[in-house]
Amino acid sequence: MKSPAFPAHALQAHKARGVIYTVISALLFGVTPVLASWTFDMGSNANTLTFYRNLLAVPVLVIVMLVKHIPFRLTGKELGLLILVGVGFRATTTFMLYQSYAYISVGTATTLHFMYPMLTAVLCFVVFRERLQHAKIVALVIACVGVALFADRAGAGAAPGLILALASAVTYACYLTGMDKTSLRTMNGTKVACYMGLFNALAVLLVDQIPHQIVFALPPLAMFYTFIIAICTSFIAYWLLQRGIQVLGAPTAAIFCLFEPIGSVVSGALFLDEHLSLRSVLGCVCVLGAVLITVLSDRRVDAQA
């Protein structure tokens, strides 16, 4: 990705904002599973959460668009990209990852899903011939080791879950790349989030016509938690992620997205009384080390520019 023509100090500040956007987005994605766990205890499930987390954000996004006078009109190309990248990649990612929890533990599923930074870098390199710095290759390897430390052993009959979780990593890498390499990158972030939320909710509703697993009448507290999840993920975190991709590019942004499992581990320990093992701590250290290598590499490249 080519950076804007800024002076060196301004370019560093610009990239710093991109890092902050992406890290906050990742932490929001990482903390909301705590609320999701609470809603599951109140009768919700993966299909219900996927449906509402997309749908409930749409009215808020519509109001923002009206206040800011953002046009609702879409071109045929934009509509096609929103359906492909949103429904084809983003909604599919969420659905497959949630479904994998029925076969394997959250730790194992998370490990496989967080192979997506490596897959994003490979995808950009193979398809778009994007240069991958040696330091970032090292950072990706260290990050993958760190994520592996979060895993536990999968039991018998885990094959469907392993396939679903790994497939979710592939589709999420495609989603990040699509947001970076198509015209969605230059579209208004609120507009993209609004239409993606609407299309994804409709897609989940259509798929649910067979299993009928969506619970429409949740307890008020569960609906409140679900609304918070929707605003944090489908609005705030999504908008921040798009801004981060605009500044950093998909491969670099994907590395900073690795703050998500750290957020999940820490919030799980704080709010769900989950055990914080030595493996988890070492995993966090590896991920932070990979992030540090990436930051230092970017600063060295900026200094040489």
Side-chain angles (χ1 to χ4, degrees):
M1 167 187 167
K2 292 183 179 180
S3 300
F6 295 147
H9 67 281
L11 179 57
Q12 289 187 4
H14 182 64
K15 286 193 172 183
R17 285 194 293 271
V19 170
I20 292 171
Y21 293 149
T22 309
V23 169
I24 294 176
S25 170
L27 291 176
L28 285 174
F29 279 123
V31 170
T32 50
V34 171
L35 296 178
S37 177
W38 291 343
T39 64
F40 287 175
D41 292 338
M42 299 177 193
S44 186
N45 55 53
N47 282 27
T48 303
L49 183 59
T50 304
F51 173 70
Y52 276 124
R53 109 176 209 178
N54 285 286
L55 183 65
L56 292 179
V58 173
V60 178
L61 291 165
V62 168
I63 293 173
V64 173
M65 289 180 67
L66 290 171
V67 171
K68 292 188 174 183
H69 304 289
I70 300 171
F72 286 86
R73 182 178 177 276
L74 291 174
T75 65
K77 180 181 178 181
E78 290 171 341
L79 176 62
L81 285 173
L82 285 168
I83 293 175
L84 173 63
V85 178
V87 177
F89 297 145
R90 182 173 170 226
T92 303
T93 295
T94 304
F95 179 77
M96 289 193 298
L97 185 60
Y98 285 162
Q99 285 297 108
S100 72
Y101 296 161
Y103 303 95
I104 57 177
S105 70
V106 173
T108 301
T110 300
T111 300
L112 292 173
H113 175 68
F114 275 89
M115 293 299 292
Y116 74 76
M118 180 69 76
L119 296 174
T120 302
V122 171
L123 188 60
C124 288
F125 174 76
V126 172
V127 177
F128 299 98
R129 303 300 180 187
E130 186 169 304
R131 180 173 173 268
L132 192 59
Q133 301 166 13
H134 294 300
K136 288 187 179 179
I137 295 175
V138 173
L140 285 168
V141 172
I142 294 175
C144 287
V145 172
V147 171
L149 289 170
F150 290 112
D152 53 19
R153 294 182 179 180
L162 296 174
I163 293 172
L164 285 167
L166 184 57
S168 76
V170 175
T171 53
Y172 198 66
C174 293
Y175 163 71
L176 290 177
T177 305
M179 290 299 298
D180 183 27
K181 302 300 182 182
T182 69
S183 58
L184 293 179
R185 184 176 174 217
T186 58
M187 282 182 63
N188 182 278
T190 304
K191 182 177 180 178
V192 175
C194 181
Y195 278 109
M196 276 197 178
L198 177 61
F199 294 158
N200 291 352
L202 291 175
V204 174
L205 185 62
L206 181 62
V207 171
D208 191 63
Q209 294 308 302
I210 297 177
H212 298 292
Q213 293 180 347
I214 295 179
V215 180
F216 293 99
L218 289 173
L221 186 58
M223 283 299 300
F224 174 72
Y225 287 154
T226 303
F227 178 75
I228 297 300
I229 293 171
I231 297 303
C232 285
T233 57
S234 295
F235 180 19
I236 301 175
Y238 169 79
W239 183 87
L240 290 170
L241 178 59
Q242 188 195 31
R243 293 297 302 273
I245 292 173
Q246 288 175 341
V247 175
L248 303 173
T252 301
I255 294 176
F256 287 101
C257 285
L258 286 163
F259 272 90
E260 183 176 337
I262 294 178
S264 296
V265 169
V266 174
S267 61
L270 290 176
F271 300 106
L272 299 177
D273 296 323
E274 294 180 351
H275 176 61
L276 189 61
S277 66
L278 178 61
R279 286 169 58 94
S280 297
V281 173
L282 291 175
C284 292
V285 171
C286 286
V287 170
L288 291 174
V291 168
L292 179 60
I293 291 173
T294 302
V295 171
L296 294 177
S297 173
D298 284 344
R299 286 190 176 182
R300 184 167 59 252
V301 171
D302 292 342
Q304 295 172 351

